[in-house]
Amino acid sequence: MRLAEYTDYTLRVLMFCASNPDRLVTIAELADHHGVSKNHLMKIVNDLGHQGILETTRGRGGGVRLLRKPKDIRIGDVIRQSETDFRLVECFDSGTNLCTLTPSCRLKRLLDQALKAYFKELDGATLADIAGPVGRAGTPPRPSTAPRPRSIALKVQS
């Protein structure tokens, strides 16, 4: 299972804002810090604003900040709002399922349990648990020359 790039950057925006609670954070600052386009971040910030997670202020001197305390923002909720599809296999969608193994298959139950365990872990974590200080005096560190990951890959161990 892999989180979409959109979800990855949604979490990064929230973590950056949580790490800078005493000021407005600009889209340009976020774009520079994460090496992603302003347009992409504007969509994310707009969605987070509509969800009541971010306060957005337009114009000169504008920016974004958290509307809620980091301890009140569950990571599982953020991921549910950002991702569009949690159907791990075809049979998770009864409307389009054409799998011939469905009547006797036990894989769906196993994967459903795994998905529930995944969200149980994510629901047990808040933004406060994953956000930390960003450089000295609340300033972002200089971007490294190492390539940035574009998504988060999750491995299921057996």
Side-chain angles (χ1 to χ4, degrees), residues 36-126:
V36 68
S37 79
K38 290 179 191 177
N39 287 338
H40 189 58
L41 290 175
M42 286 173 60
K43 292 174 191 173
I44 290 169
V45 165
N46 188 39
D47 283 349
L48 291 170
H50 283 103
Q51 293 172 35
I53 297 174
L54 285 184
E55 170 190 2
T56 60
T57 306
R58 292 181 181 214
R60 181 167 241 201
V64 300
R65 73 170 53 132
L66 293 176
L67 270 175
R68 300 179 354 215
K69 293 178 181 175
K71 69 179 183 71
D72 296 331
I73 300 171
R74 292 187 326 167
I75 301 306
D77 294 337
V78 172
I79 290 175
R80 281 183 192 90
Q81 290 294 318
S82 299
E83 287 292 315
T84 58
D85 186 4
F86 291 105
R87 294 172 299 177
L88 299 179
V89 288
E90 178 182 349
C91 59
F92 272 41
D93 185 349
S94 59
T96 60
N97 180 21
L98 299 176
C99 180
T100 58
L101 298 175
T102 298
S104 61
C105 183
R106 293 176 289 204
L107 178 62
K108 178 181 178 181
R109 183 173 179 268
L110 175 65
L111 292 175
D112 188 49
Q113 289 172 333
L115 188 60
K116 287 176 183 172
Y118 170 76
F119 276 110
K120 181 180 178 188
E121 287 297 314
L122 293 173
D123 288 339
T126 67

